[in-house]
Amino acid sequence: GFYNCKFADCYYGISIAFGYGIILDNCGFKDLENTPLYQSSGEGLIVQNCVIHGRVDAGSNILSKGSDNFLCNNLSIEGNNGFQVNGSALMQNNTLYNCGARCIYANTNGDSGVMECYNNIFVPKAGGSDVIVKTRENTIGTAYRGDHNMYYGADAVAISTFSEVSGSGELAVPGQYSLAEDPDFADTKSFRPRNPKCYRSIRLNVNGQAMRIGYYAQEHKFDLRNLA
């Protein structure tokens, strides 16, 4: 695994050709020429407590082609796509901010893989496409499942188009309990949401406690002033 690592001033932050159960915990990515985290194959990748600052002209901040991956409590800034999944993944308690084209690209067919998203904050780039989720053309059903997320425009306007699909297929839907509201970040260094609804999601954890929406900044040991 990779713990407390910083990847900067290189082409890829990290490229995983194959692996099972690889963990990235409390790592930082910035000033990279291409995708900060690229997984071409594998299973059980865990990415948690990371700060990923990409480029709007350099693809996705995370491009995952593996299966059964877990993306939890990460802060993703910019990137043409925030997270792109070509296999299957569970995405929970992340904040994706200032994404260029869309926040999520579920590039799978809805049969071999599904992207599941819960308790995340999605904010596309100001003046951008204002699309949260894009799915690929398929006939099986949407490759995205999600609920209990919060989404809003970086230019403080409500999102008019939640999802788009490449070609024909089912559009992704926000879910019954997702909120089209401004998270009201205290600043764009800590990304601490001030909207009280971020602290009382009706989705409960295994202990029966209400789960937060978005990532938990206090878990990061990196100085966010140098990474955001």
Side-chain angles (χ1 to χ4, degrees):
F2 299 84
Y3 303 90
N4 303 318
C5 298
K6 183 176 180 179
F7 303 89
D9 300 311
C10 50
Y11 190 72
Y12 285 120
I14 183 169
S15 179
I16 301 171
F18 182 80
Y20 178 82
I22 294 174
I23 299 174
L24 284 87
D25 189 359
N26 204 64
C27 295
F29 300 79
K30 192 179 181 183
D31 296 329
L32 304 167
E33 292 297 318
N34 210 309
T35 299
L37 175 55
Y38 176 64
Q39 177 200 31
S40 58
S41 65
E43 184 177 350
L45 172 69
I46 298 174
V47 184
Q48 59 188 13
N49 308 320
C50 292
V51 179
I52 307 165
H53 196 158
R55 292 170 40 183
V56 294
D57 60 346
S60 306
N61 277 358
I62 293 180
L63 173 52
S64 164
K65 296 184 179 181
S67 60
D68 299 324
N69 296 328
F70 184 49
L71 314 174
C72 178
N73 198 44
N74 301 293
L75 170 62
S76 172
I77 304 169
E78 296 186 350
N80 194 42
N81 302 307
F83 294 171
Q84 177 177 336
V85 169
N86 293 14
S88 60
L90 171 61
M91 177 180 168
Q92 181 174 292
N93 285 109
N94 301 280
T95 293
L96 278 64
Y97 178 80
N98 210 29
C99 307
R102 77 279 303 174
C103 296
I104 297 296
Y105 186 13
N107 187 27
T108 184
N109 62 15
D111 180 27
S112 61
V114 173
M115 190 168 192
E116 298 189 67
C117 301
Y118 301 98
N119 292 79
N120 303 284
I121 295 176
F122 300 128
V123 182
K125 183 180 179 180
S129 65
D130 278 357
V131 172
I132 303 300
V133 178
K134 180 179 181 179
T135 56
R136 64 175 282 186
E137 181 175 0
N138 64 80
T139 57
I140 298 170
T142 180
Y144 169 90
R145 288 199 297 262
D147 207 345
H148 304 274
N149 300 299
M150 182 174 287
Y151 56 97
Y152 212 65
D155 41 5
V157 296
I159 299 298
S160 58
T161 305
F162 179 79
S163 65
E164 64 181 5
V165 62
S166 176
S168 60
E170 294 186 23
L171 288 170
V173 297
Q176 181 179 358
Y177 301 107
S178 288
L179 301 169
E181 295 190 18
D182 188 352
D184 189 21
F185 294 122
D187 53 63
T188 53
K189 294 296 183 183
S190 69
F191 286 90
R192 178 178 59 84
R194 293 181 294 195
N195 187 326
K197 294 181 181 179
C198 290
Y199 298 90
R200 56 171 186 262
S201 167
I202 65 172
R203 187 164 180 254
L204 304 180
N205 61 21
V206 293
N207 297 318
Q209 301 167 322
M211 295 182 64
R212 276 187 54 171
I213 298 174
Y215 95 114
Y216 295 69
Q218 68 271 19
E219 293 186 12
H220 296 280
K221 300 183 181 69
F222 274 108
D223 185 348
L224 296 182
R225 292 173 297 179
N226 295 326
L227 291 172

